[in-house]
Amino acid sequence: MSEIAVRFAPSPTGLLHIGNIRPALFNWLFARKHGGRFVLRLDDTDIARSCEEYAEAIREDLHWLGLDWDEEVRQSDRLDLYAEAAEKLKAAGRLYPAYETPDELERRRKRQRAQGLPPIYDRAALKLTDEDRAKLEAEGRKPHWRFKLDHREVAWDDLIRGEQTIDAGSLSDPILVRADGTYLYTLPSVVDDIALGITHVIRGEDHVANSGAQIQIFEALGGSVPWFAHHNMLVGAEGESLGKRLGTLSIRQMREDGLEPLAILSHSAAIGTSDPVTAHQSLDELIESFDLDKVSRAPARFDMSELRGVNAKLLHERPYEKVADELSALGVGGGEAFWLAVRGNVTVLSDALEWWQVVQGPVTPVIEDEELCEAAADLLPREPWDGTTWKAWIDAVKAETGRKGRALFHPLRLAITGRAAGPELGALLPLIGREKVAVRLRGNAA
Ligand code: GLU
């Protein structure tokens, strides 16, 4: 086979979100796994809805996620190619003019439904004579152009769904060119796939019927038909449609909320597959575990709390050198000792700020057991403090007060950190230092 080439083809009409990041990721992983080419294709033929700001936002978000591309094309630069293809199809009798208005088409579909017929375009335009057409055009009507499907079964071996057949006779002849001369997505996509040597089209299963029609367009243009893989769609945690919510699940928003690129990618790669959701520490790990065969037919469930769990897991194992710069940008000090003490207690990196505040103070202590706290303050060892300080101190407090278990640890934690839960006290203690620990144990803010 020729060099593997895939593409991610977003329309720059909005921000990337958790739904369209999956085709981006699947295509990217496929390319990287097989040493192929990954093309970013901006589907911007809908001029009214596409804009450069969104194109730029898509590039930025892909960069941030770490999904680099080898080539970028935009459809608005390639209109000549589409015109050429349209002419070729016209010459072959596969693209024909039709004059119905959207209202007329809708009325016809209603009638068909009322008669229990499928609402398929009846090809009335094919029966028009030259005279009819001249008359319609004299009335000021402009034609749109439909692809004349060959009424036969179209079959392909889908890399996710297996053997697929679509009866082209059950589809309407797709409109390829609008009355204003602009293109719908169907033709440009095929023209580009041929021109760019795309070998595998990996996209959502909302495109399955399109594939039936597009395979015929590939053939009519003399291009070689690529492999197809249609992945399952995303639904919410309860199986509900994400529809409008997708707008709020943008990559931008997730980035602002402190989610890590690798958490988003690990989660997106695993949901709706036979793999468990795993926090992968590198893109290489993700590439390693990726396989289209693992994608299931059932929808992929997206659950924000699960994604946040992956994010937490990723950070719990993250070595200091990988977060040092970001921590200092957040204004968090304390070096490696601090990070190792708190990483098990963060969901997003900025949670470290809360613990840094606990270390630095001021913390308003909560005194639940005054007698214990007073005794503990009296028994605080001299500095310097290190990893052994905690055990020596706690043994002494235990012996002096007779407290143990929760009755010992919980009041100390409340006094020293002002919180009921958090990182191991033994690790926090040397970071907070004797002076502040003593003041807090005696019930004063420090
Ligand atoms: N622009 C199309 C979409 O976002 C591309 C589909 C495809 O991958 O062919 O749905």
Side-chain angles (χ1 to χ4, degrees):
M1 194 199 281
S2 49
E3 180 212 18
I4 283 181
V6 293
R7 81 302 192 278
F8 171 51
S11 300
T13 55
L15 292 172
L16 283 187
H17 51 68
I18 197 69
N20 52 20
I21 211 61
R22 288 176 76 236
L25 178 61
F26 287 171
N27 278 289
W28 185 87
L29 288 170
F30 192 82
R32 296 297 169 254
K33 181 141 193 156
H34 299 288
R37 196 156 43 96
F38 176 62
V39 178
L40 171 61
R41 186 183 88 198
L42 294 165
D43 285 4
D44 60 349
T45 54
D46 184 346
I47 304 164
R49 291 178 57 228
S50 302
C51 71
E52 182 51 35
E53 284 74 20
Y54 283 131
E56 192 47 31
I58 289 170
R59 291 185 202 105
E60 268 178 39
D61 288 348
L62 288 174
H63 265 308
W64 178 74
L65 286 165
L67 306 181
D68 51 341
W69 54 97
D70 306 306
E71 187 178 348
E72 178 184 326
V73 295
R74 34 195 317 154
Q75 293 194 319
S76 55
D77 291 338
R78 303 166 65 82
L79 299 176
D80 290 351
L81 283 176
Y82 313 144
E84 207 178 291
E87 288 313 312
K88 195 169 168 185
L89 293 176
K90 282 180 198 169
R94 297 298 295 274
L95 196 61
Y96 63 93
Y99 295 83
E100 293 90 349
T101 64
D103 281 350
E104 285 165 351
L105 290 171
E106 186 47 39
R107 274 200 299 279
R108 228 178 265 180
R109 282 194 290 266
K110 265 198 189 134
R111 252 195 330 267
Q112 288 168 312
R113 281 195 208 96
Q115 294 167 3
L117 298 169
I120 297 168
Y121 179 60
D122 60 6
R123 291 186 161 175
L126 275 180
K127 296 181 196 99
L128 296 174
T129 61
D130 286 348
E131 242 175 35
D132 297 331
R133 276 194 288 271
K135 205 173 146 228
L136 286 163
E137 298 206 11
E139 284 170 16
R141 293 225 198 183
K142 284 214 157 53
H144 53 269
W145 296 81
R146 288 188 184 262
F147 179 71
K148 188 171 171 234
L149 289 167
D150 206 356
H151 283 176
R152 60 180 165 83
E153 288 211 323
V154 181
W156 73 92
D157 184 9
D158 195 286
L159 293 175
I160 294 174
R161 295 163 63 92
E163 241 356 279
Q164 300 289 297
T165 39
I166 289 206
D167 176 8
S170 70
L171 304 174
S172 292
D173 286 341
I175 299 173
L176 300 190
V177 191
R178 296 188 188 90
D180 65 2
T182 60
Y183 297 91
L184 280 103
Y185 135 89
T186 320
L187 177 66
S189 181
V190 172
V191 170
D192 288 336
D193 286 343
I194 296 172
L196 299 169
I198 298 302
T199 55
H200 294 73
V201 171
I202 305 170
R203 59 185 178 186
E205 61 190 16
D206 51 338
H207 285 290
V208 168
N210 280 344
S211 295
Q214 285 184 322
I215 286 174
Q216 288 204 3
I217 302 176
F218 274 104
E219 290 168 349
L221 291 174
S224 64
V225 180
W227 289 90
F228 283 92
H230 293 91
H231 64 77
N232 47 12
M233 306 303 284
L234 204 62
V235 295
E238 307 302 327
E240 77 280 14
S241 146
L242 282 173
K244 294 207 179 78
R245 254 181 72 207
L246 280 176
T248 63
L249 295 171
S250 67
I251 301 303
R252 275 298 144 99
Q253 187 60 50
M254 294 189 188
R255 178 179 177 175
E256 267 168 39
D257 292 344
L259 293 170
E260 301 286 322
L262 273 171
I264 299 172
L265 297 177
S266 295
H267 187 255
S268 290
I271 53 175
T273 76
S274 53
D275 272 348
V277 174
T278 310
H280 290 291
Q281 292 288 349
S282 72
L283 288 167
D284 286 342
E285 266 183 50
L286 263 171
I287 296 169
E288 179 68 26
S289 67
F290 172 75
D291 193 338
L292 283 178
D293 282 346
K294 296 179 182 171
V295 180
S296 53
R297 295 290 300 275
R301 283 176 192 254
F302 174 76
D303 183 347
M304 183 55 98
S305 61
E306 190 179 45
L307 169 53
R308 288 175 61 81
V310 173
N311 204 76
K313 210 150 168 249
L314 206 65
L315 292 176
H316 296 174
E317 288 158 19
R318 191 155 280 185
Y320 176 63
E321 55 294 356
K322 287 217 174 152
V323 289
D325 291 347
E326 283 173 88
L327 286 177
S328 70
L330 283 170
V332 169
E336 182 165 17
F338 171 77
W339 174 244
L340 295 181
V342 306
R343 68 178 178 178
N345 287 80
V346 301
T347 300
V348 293
L349 198 69
S350 59
D351 290 346
L353 265 176
E354 180 187 346
W355 300 116
W356 182 235
Q357 214 271 315
V358 165
V359 165
Q360 280 209 303
V363 162
T364 306
V366 177
I367 304 296
E368 203 184 60
D369 180 342
E370 201 178 330
E371 189 190 317
L372 165 71
C373 290
E374 284 290 334
D378 292 342
L379 289 166
L380 278 173
R382 282 187 197 291
E383 284 183 318
W385 282 4
D386 59 21
T388 63
T389 309
W390 165 254
K391 176 143 184 12
W393 177 54
I394 213 71
D395 284 348
V397 176
K398 207 188 277 181
E400 171 74 21
T401 64
R403 310 280 201 289
K404 53 181 199 268
R406 190 182 150 82
L408 171 67
F409 295 110
H410 193 63
L412 292 180
R413 175 179 291 286
L414 282 174
I416 296 170
T417 69
R419 286 155 180 76
E424 264 182 54
L425 276 181
L428 284 181
L429 224 55
L431 292 160
I432 300 172
R434 188 178 197 284
E435 193 184 322
K436 278 183 276 195
V437 171
V439 175
R440 293 179 194 174
L441 283 169
R442 296 195 197 280
N444 298 310

